[in-house]
Structures are given as structure tokens and as C-alpha cells.
Amino acid sequence: MAQPLAFILDVPETPGDQGQGPSPYDESEVHDSFQQLIQEQSQCTAQEGLELQQREREVTGSSQQTLWRPEGTQSTATLRILASMPSRTIGRSRGAIISQYYNRTVQLRCRSSRPLLGNFVRSAWPSLRLYDLELDPTALEEEEKQSLLVKELQSLAVAQRDHMLRGMPLSLAEKRSLREKSRTPRGKWRGQPGSGGVCSCCGRLRYACVLALHSLGLALLSALQALMPWRYALKRIGGQFGSSVLSYFLFLKTLLAFNALLLLLLVAFIMGPQVAFPPALPGPAPVCTGLELLTGAGCFTHTVMYYGHYSNATLNQPCGSPLDGSQCTPRVGGLPYNMPLAYLSTVGVSFFITCITLVYSMAHSFGESYRVGSTSGIHAITVFCSWDYKVTQKRASRLQQDNIRTRLKELLAEWQLRHSPRSVCGRLRQAAVLGLVWLLCLGTALGCAVAVHVFSEFMIQSPEAAGQEAVLLVLPLVVGLLNLGAPYLCRVLAALEPHDSPVLEVYVAICRNLILKLAILGTLCYHWLGRRVGVLQGQCWEDFVGQELYRFLVMDFVLMLLDTLFGELVWRIISEKKLKRRRKPEFDIARNVLELIYGQTLTWLGVLFSPLLPAVQIIKLLLVFYVKKTSLLANCQAPRRPWLASHMSTVFLTLLCFPAFLGAAVFLCYAVWQVKPSSTCGPFRTLDTMYEAGRVWVRHLEAAGPRVSWLPWVHRAVIYLNIQVVRGQRKVICLLKEQISNEGEDKIFLINKLHSIYERKEREERSRVGTTEEAAAPPALLTDEQDA
């Protein structure tokens, strides 16, 4: 420590103020500590530089002999970069780390305008020769640095001190020791002389308030988590049946959120204004008989549940409904609430918001399921990091044990599937059986679609079906039975397939059931918009389509209850009582998930014709959850072959987005742009298409007066700007494509130029080497060649 001490003792005297401040002893120790640290780092850096130069010479010498380098060695440039990294120059010792963070505390203290070392006279410097320098210098320096760091930590605020200690690269024991040493003594909290009792009391009060607010926030967060729907039920299902069965109930919960969002928009902008300004009923209200809960007709017809109840008048400027069905003309001036425009805009905006939410949910689920490195070390994480030590109740701890055990079973089953390959003959046999079963399943789906078409045509042509509400349930009943029976047939055929992976088995079942549902729904869409519109001319065909979709939704729920009763409960009783087997049926994930998607597709198809249909779907989903949960816990068992359903949520959302939502959107777009509305009911009764409601509204605004005439201009301006932006984007895209092609040609040109330059250099080197060899040849050899 000779050089640092000499450096400190040779500081010139500077006259300064004898002001009040901290003792300069601390500053001298800081100076000494950092000079020693700088000296040590300089020596280490010089040694590494000599080692690197020696290593470079060795590598250079060896590279002249051979170009081969053993695996694991690094180049000189790599070694030089590694040696200059901060982790190699700062973190060599614990003392260096402490000195580094001491420097940060000094900077924080200097911000509070404390006096520097240069402000003190030379006589105020203490004598450093009284220290015993014959002790162990490393331990002494480390203790001095630690004591200085403790002093500086004591001068900081509590939050800054905790943040500084949290960021130090030290062990937990050393951090705990520094925290204990840097705490404020209790005497200061009790208001001892010189400790600033008033400030300490204020600090204690503030600290108590912060702790109280923090505890209150944690309590509110726990309460919000407890208010989450079905929180404990989902944990129990995941612990007993695994992530595969749990994905069904999570998907049901997602559908419930989508329908709640859709219903909120429809109630706020369609049903609410219409209820506030009810239209005049065409006749006396029919009496409810109870059959309306199944058929949706009767007393439900003239309510806000269906399209025909909504008027084409301006709601805030009421006028009598004209008998000839003409449009109600609003007063000149003012901005009316145009019901046709509100109806069409609300349905369109709700579909747009649903699309954005659905795409975002699918992208988020995709990022969570398929993120890079998500499966690395998953076994160790499950074993060592899955237990929640905050759990104190016996019931919760048992549930957590079930979760961890089921998770380990799924991980091990997935690992075994990856390490058990099948022979070539087995794969060929499996492909042949798979192709045969697929042909049978596709034939079943085609047969179901043909049966639905034939029966729907029979219902249209039968004259006795008109006016009988009970007969209207026949078509939904037939379709429901086909949807219920065909998946069982496909499941029996799937038993012939020797699938190795249960995940693949579920995906194949989902694809087959999806094809069946799409075939049936496509036939029904043609039946509603292609046949019923022509047959029901002069009547409110929109109400009939809305009632038909309501009946399909209700019948689907009734058949689901019957399937749960006879397919799970009765089968369990027969298996236990008659067959004397303890094995229960498994939960069919593919069929149940496709039932949810089928019901949600019916809801989206009927939003335009029955705005209250999302409320019916919400009630249905709530009942389905409790029925399925009760039946699952009582009548079903966990999958015999556990499998990890890490991507099931993404697959379900994808199926919900593209086949279901996209198909419903195409159906409604065709109804809005191409199909003529009824002339006797609904908000579009006087228009050729529903889309003309926007044009009619613009014309009414132009005729309403100068106060609102600027709205059509803004509308046209927005459309014009959008068109210009789209055109500009197209031009920019064309220019970028051209630039990309030109850059590719530039690269090819530069590569060819470099290649030609390298070839010319090689030829010059070869000619130069040949000339050098001829010049260096022996004279005798040249004489012999000349003689020859």
C-alpha cells in the first residue's frame, strides 16, 4: 500500500472552510481503497496483456505450420474481447464488487451536496501510519471496504439501500449481513439526542403507511383472484384429470367472455334504445303457453329478441308508423338516432371487436404455447419449482399434489412417445387403416348433409307444418340427432386406428367432427338464405331464421343433457353394477369441444336476426359448465394414457376463429349485401339491401340543414383519404419490391466483381510465383535446359 499512501500524503494543501460535515477519514479511506483497487486491476490487466501476446505468438507460430486448431480453443481476438469484458475486469474479487457499489453510494451521497475531500485543509487529514500494515493486507482491505460500504449504506434512504443491496452480485448471507449492519440503531427511533427524533417518527409513520397500503393492495389482489369464476373448480379439474380435460373448461370460459362482450354492445346500442322508445304492436300480444321456451315463437315474437320488433323510425323523434310501410321522415335540423344505421353499425362493430379480440387471444395463446425454449428443463422446473409454499390448508395441499403428479405423468408420457419409434411395416399398416377410416368418416359427413337437405326440403313443401309450433322442432331434432350419433360412429371407427400418440388421436377426431359440423351448417345456411327467403315472400323471414337458430341452440343443449345422462351416468352404472368393472368412461374432449364451437357458430349466425341470442348462449354455457363438471367428477376417469395438452388452447381458438367465426361473417355479409329484406318488418323494410341504410342516412343528413351538413362531407373526406392512403401504400409497396429486386441485382453484381478480382489476383500470384521459381533455379539446371 506504499503507492496509494504516498499518493494520499502528497496531496497539496488547499485552504478551505472549516464547515460542518462528515469526517475526512472516510474520504481518505475511499481514496486509499480505490487507489489500491486501480493498482490491482492495472497489474491484472498488464499480466493478461502479456499472456495474450504470448498466446498470440504461439498461435501465430503454430498457424504457419498447420491450419488445424483443436476443438475448444479460441482465437486471439476472441480472447482479447473476453479479457476486456466488464465481468473479467471488475468482478475478480468480492472486494472489487464492494468497492464498485461503494462508488455508487458515494455518488448518491455527493448528490446531496456533501463537502468533498479538497475542501479540507491538510491538518485535518488523519495519520494513516498508525495502522498496522504487517497484518494480512487482503483481509484488512476487505474489512475496511465493507465497513465503508456499511457507513455509506446507513446514509442512504431505506428504499435506496434495499435497491442497492438487491442489485449486488453477492451471496444471500453477505447481503443479509450488510443489511443488518446498515440498519439504523434503535436509539434513533426512540428520539435520543442528536438523532432527529421528529424526523425519525415521521419516517416510522410513513413506513407504517406504506406497509399498510401494501398489505391492502395484496388483500385486494387476493380478493380479485378469489372472485374469478370457477377458480377452485378449474384447479380441481386440472389436478384430477390433467391439462387435456382442463383445456375444455378453459375454452368454455373463453366463449363466455366473448358472448358477454357481444351482448354488452348489442344491449347498449340496439336493445336499450328500442326499449326506451317502444314501437306500436300490430295487434294484441299473444298469450305465453310455455312452449315458447323450446320454439322461440309465440309471445317471444314481438319482443326485442327478434329482428322484426325493431322499427325503421328515428327514436328520438317519434312519429307514427306509416301503414304503407314508408320511411319515417325526421324533422329538419337536429341529429336523429337512426335505428337502421344503429342496427347495422352495432352488429358490424361488434363483429369487428370480436374478431380483434379473437385474433389477439389466438396470438397470445400461440406465443405462450409455441415459444422458443419453452420445454427446455421442464422436468426439473416441475419437480423443484412447482410447489407453492404459501399453501397451508390440507385440502389445497392435496390439490397441489394432484396437479404436480398429473403434470409429471403427462411429461413422462410425452417423453416415452418421442423415444419409441415404429417400424416401417407398422407405419404402412397404420397409414392404410387411417385412409380407410377417413373415407368412411367423410362418407358419413356427406350422408348427414344430404339427409339434412332432403328433410329441410320436405319441411318446406309440407303444407301442414305451417302454423304448428311443435312441428317446427322436427328439423332441429333431426339435425341434433345427426350431430349426436355421427361422432359416436366416427369414434367407433377410430378405435380401429393404432394411434401411438393420444394427442394425434384427439386432433384427428376434432378434424372429423369439424368436417361433419361444417357440412351440416353449410346445408342449413343454404336452407335459410336460399330457400326460406323465396318461400316466405310477404312474411318476416328474418324472424323465422332467428327463431330457427334459437330452436337449434336450445335443442343442442337438450341433447347434450341427454348425452351426459345416458352416455356417462348410465354407462358408469352399467359398468359398475352389471359388468363388475371399476373402469369409468373417459371424457371425450374432441366431441365436447366441437359442440361448443357448433353452438357458438349458431350464436354468431343469429346475431343479425336475434340480437338477444348471445344472452341465451351465456345461460346455456353456464348450465353446461356445471353439468359437465358434475358429470366429470362423478362419472368419468382420467385418461388412461396421460398426455400434455400444451397446444390445445391454441388449436381450439384457431378452430373458433377460422372455420366458425369466418364462416359466420361470410354468411352475415351475404345477408347484408345481397339478400332483400322483408317489406313488412324490421329496420330495413323499405330498402333493397341492408347496406343501403348507410346511404339513406347520408342523404338525410344532407337534407337536414347546415348544422349537420358537414357530417356527409366528413364521411366522404374520410373515404377519400382512406382511398388515397391505400393507393399510396400500394405505390410504396411496389417501390419497395423494385428496390429489393435492385438490391438483389446489386449483390449479384458485386459478387461477380469480387470473383473476377480474386481470379485476377490468383493469376498474378501464380505468374509471380512462376517467375520467382525460374529466377531461383540453379545455373547448372538452366545450362542443361539450354543445351537440351
Side-chain angles (χ1 to χ4, degrees):
M1 298 179 62
Q3 294 180 0
L5 292 176
F7 180 83
I8 294 175
L9 294 177
D10 291 336
V11 176
E13 294 184 46
T14 56
D17 300 329
Q18 302 294 331
Q20 299 295 328
S23 173
Y25 175 75
D26 296 338
E27 299 288 349
S28 63
E29 292 293 334
V30 174
H31 204 274
D32 177 42
S33 173
F34 271 87
Q35 285 297 322
Q36 182 68 20
L37 178 62
I38 293 171
Q39 185 179 4
E40 292 176 359
Q41 300 299 330
S42 302
Q43 294 176 358
C44 295
T45 305
Q47 292 178 1
E48 287 188 357
L50 294 176
E51 293 177 358
L52 286 175
Q53 293 177 2
Q54 184 179 1
R55 181 67 178 272
E56 185 176 1
R57 287 194 298 269
E58 294 177 358
V59 172
T60 306
S62 60
S63 61
Q64 295 177 359
Q65 299 175 1
T66 175
L67 295 176
W68 178 81
R69 179 181 295 171
E71 187 177 359
T73 59
Q74 297 174 344
S75 63
T76 307
T78 303
L79 293 175
R80 186 181 295 109
I81 292 174
L82 291 176
S84 61
M85 289 173 62
S87 59
R88 300 293 181 91
T89 58
I90 295 178
R92 288 189 177 89
S93 63
R94 192 161 56 93
I97 294 173
I98 293 175
S99 299
Q100 179 190 5
Y101 280 91
Y102 178 75
N103 186 20
R104 297 185 183 180
T105 58
V106 170
Q107 292 176 0
L108 289 174
R109 184 170 53 81
C110 290
R111 291 175 186 175
S112 60
S113 67
R114 295 184 62 179
L116 299 176
L117 183 64
N119 296 332
F120 293 93
V121 295
R122 187 182 181 91
S123 60
W125 285 75
S127 178
L128 299 177
R129 297 180 181 179
L130 300 176
Y131 284 91
D132 190 3
L133 301 179
E134 297 180 359
L135 300 176
D136 187 5
T138 305
L140 184 58
E141 292 172 5
E142 188 172 341
E143 290 178 0
E144 293 175 354
K145 295 171 185 176
Q146 189 172 8
S147 62
L148 292 174
L149 180 59
V150 168
K151 291 180 181 179
E152 292 298 331
L153 288 174
Q154 288 178 352
S155 63
L156 297 177
V158 178
Q160 292 180 347
R161 184 195 310 163
D162 293 340
H163 180 73
M164 185 70 68
L165 287 172
R166 197 178 297 115
M168 288 184 180
L170 299 174
S171 63
L172 291 177
E174 294 173 348
K175 289 182 180 181
R176 192 178 296 112
S177 175
L178 289 175
R179 183 178 289 109
E180 292 294 333
K181 293 179 180 179
S182 59
R183 281 182 178 175
T184 306
R186 294 187 177 181
K188 294 185 179 181
W189 292 107
R190 295 175 182 175
Q192 290 183 356
S195 61
V198 177
C199 297
S200 300
C201 292
C202 294
R204 290 186 63 184
L205 180 61
R206 184 180 61 180
Y207 187 68
C209 293
V210 170
L211 287 180
L213 292 176
H214 183 67
S215 302
L216 181 60
L218 292 178
L220 292 177
L221 184 60
S222 302
L224 290 177
Q225 290 180 354
L227 290 177
M228 293 177 62
W230 312 317
R231 182 168 174 262
Y232 179 76
L234 293 175
K235 285 187 176 182
R236 185 179 179 185
I237 292 171
Q240 294 184 10
F241 298 91
S243 58
S244 57
V245 179
L246 179 62
S247 60
Y248 166 79
F249 291 92
L250 293 177
F251 183 64
L252 190 150
K253 185 178 176 182
T254 304
L255 291 182
L256 191 64
F258 281 131
N259 285 279
L261 177 62
L262 183 61
L263 180 63
L264 180 63
L265 295 173
L266 295 174
V267 169
F269 297 100
I270 295 182
M271 287 177 276
Q274 189 63 62
V275 170
F277 299 94
L281 296 178
V287 180
C288 295
T289 60
L291 191 60
E292 291 84 0
L293 294 176
L294 294 177
T295 62
C299 61
F300 288 166
T301 303
H302 301 290
T303 60
V304 293
M305 187 171 183
Y306 295 113
Y307 165 91
H309 179 75
Y310 296 90
S311 65
N312 64 334
T314 54
L315 300 183
N316 55 345
Q317 294 179 354
C319 63
S321 299
L323 298 178
D324 57 352
S326 61
Q327 179 87 17
C328 177
T329 305
R331 288 198 306 262
V332 177
L335 185 61
Y337 189 84
N338 194 314
M339 192 61 198
L341 182 67
Y343 195 98
L344 184 63
S345 301
T346 303
V347 173
V349 170
S350 61
F351 258 70
F352 178 75
I353 293 177
T354 303
C355 179
I356 295 299
T357 308
L358 187 58
V359 171
Y360 173 78
S361 301
M362 185 174 60
H364 179 72
S365 178
F366 183 85
E368 291 292 330
S369 301
Y370 294 91
R371 62 179 182 267
V372 178
S374 60
T375 58
S376 59
I378 189 66
H379 297 81
I381 293 175
T382 305
V383 172
F384 296 106
C385 304
S386 297
W387 186 260
D388 187 4
Y389 289 94
K390 296 181 181 179
V391 173
T392 56
Q393 298 180 357
K394 185 176 181 181
R395 185 182 182 185
S397 62
R398 188 183 302 110
L399 181 61
Q400 194 167 4
Q401 290 175 5
D402 295 338
N403 275 318
I404 297 174
R405 181 170 59 252
T406 307
R407 177 75 172 176
L408 289 174
K409 287 181 181 179
E410 293 173 350
L411 292 173
L412 292 175
E414 187 179 10
W415 181 82
Q416 290 176 358
L417 287 174
R418 289 198 303 264
H419 292 80
S420 58
R422 181 184 286 268
S423 61
V424 179
C425 296
R427 292 181 180 178
L428 292 176
R429 182 169 58 253
Q430 182 182 5
V433 175
L434 187 64
L436 179 61
V437 173
W438 266 104
L439 288 177
L440 294 176
C441 292
L442 292 177
T444 302
L446 181 61
C448 291
V450 172
V452 171
H453 176 70
V454 172
F455 196 81
S456 62
E457 291 292 330
F458 174 75
M459 292 295 297
I460 291 175
Q461 297 175 2
S462 59
E464 62 275 5
Q468 299 180 3
E469 293 185 4
V471 181
L472 298 175
L473 295 172
V474 177
L475 181 60
L477 180 61
V478 172
V479 174
L481 291 175
L482 291 176
N483 280 326
L484 183 63
Y488 277 107
L489 178 60
C490 294
R491 190 175 182 181
V492 172
L493 295 175
L496 304 175
E497 298 173 336
H499 285 295
D500 293 334
S501 173
V503 183
L504 180 61
E505 183 178 353
V506 173
Y507 286 165
V508 170
I510 288 176
C511 291
R512 291 168 182 171
N513 291 337
L514 181 64
I515 293 173
L516 173 67
K517 305 290 185 183
L518 291 178
I520 293 177
L521 284 175
T523 307
L524 289 174
C525 290
Y526 170 76
H527 165 69
W528 291 324
L529 294 185
R531 298 288 296 158
R532 284 294 181 181
V533 173
V535 172
L536 297 176
Q537 287 293 338
Q539 303 179 24
C540 191
W541 64 267
E542 291 92 349
D543 280 358
F544 178 82
V545 173
Q547 294 172 4
E548 193 91 339
L549 286 163
Y550 174 85
R551 288 190 286 269
F552 274 93
L553 202 62
V554 172
M555 192 58 62
D556 180 65
F557 174 68
V558 172
L559 292 177
M560 186 273 298
L561 292 179
L562 295 176
D563 176 57
T564 304
L565 177 64
F566 292 99
E568 296 177 359
L569 177 61
V570 176
W571 176 250
R572 179 183 66 85
I573 295 174
I574 293 175
S575 178
E576 292 180 354
K577 303 297 182 181
K578 300 297 183 181
L579 302 179
K580 303 298 181 182
R581 294 187 300 181
R582 300 180 60 87
R583 189 176 66 183
K584 298 179 181 180
E586 296 185 12
F587 188 79
D588 193 351
I589 301 172
R591 182 174 56 83
N592 285 280
V593 166
L594 265 298
E595 285 181 357
L596 293 180
I597 296 178
Y598 173 74
Q600 188 60 40
T601 307
L602 292 176
T603 303
W604 283 331
L605 291 174
V607 165
L608 184 64
F609 311 107
S610 178
L612 204 58
L613 206 60
V616 180
Q617 176 70 357
I618 289 175
I619 298 174
K620 175 192 169 184
L621 290 175
L622 291 173
L623 295 175
V624 165
F625 179 86
Y626 288 106
V627 169
K628 288 294 182 181
K629 179 181 75 75
T630 305
S631 177
L632 176 70
L633 297 176
N635 304 322
C636 298
Q637 67 173 8
R640 291 190 298 272
R641 294 190 299 172
W643 50 283
L644 185 62
S646 57
H647 309 319
M648 292 298 291
S649 298
T650 305
V651 174
F652 295 161
L653 289 174
T654 304
L655 295 177
L656 182 67
C657 181
F658 292 105
F661 182 81
L662 185 61
V666 171
F667 174 81
L668 294 183
C669 289
Y670 178 78
V672 169
W673 265 278
Q674 298 294 329
V675 183
K676 180 178 175 58
S678 300
S679 59
T680 58
C681 66
F684 309 102
R685 65 190 69 176
T686 59
L687 304 176
D688 293 332
T689 59
M690 298 181 185
Y691 179 70
E692 289 187 3
R695 300 177 182 176
V696 172
W697 180 71
V698 171
R699 290 197 295 267
H700 278 264
L701 287 179
E702 291 176 351
R707 287 186 298 174
V708 293
S709 60
W710 56 273
L711 287 176
W713 181 84
V714 171
H715 180 262
R716 288 192 295 267
V718 169
I719 294 176
Y720 175 78
L721 290 176
N722 287 333
I723 293 174
Q724 295 301 322
V725 168
V726 171
R727 289 179 179 176
Q729 290 177 350
R730 289 178 180 175
K731 291 181 180 179
V732 170
I733 290 173
C734 294
L735 292 175
L736 290 175
K737 289 182 179 180
E738 185 178 357
Q739 184 178 355
I740 291 173
S741 62
N742 291 334
E743 288 181 356
E745 294 177 358
D746 292 342
K747 291 179 181 179
I748 296 174
F749 174 77
L750 291 175
I751 290 173
N752 293 331
K753 286 293 184 180
L754 290 174
H755 185 67
S756 61
I757 291 172
Y758 285 136
E759 286 183 349
R760 186 172 64 254
K761 286 185 177 180
E762 289 180 357
R763 287 194 299 267
E764 292 176 357
E765 290 179 357
R766 290 172 185 171
S767 60
R768 189 183 306 109
V769 169
T771 305
T772 305
E773 290 179 352
E774 291 179 359
L781 182 59
L782 293 175
T783 305
D784 295 339
E785 289 178 355
Q786 293 176 359
D787 294 341

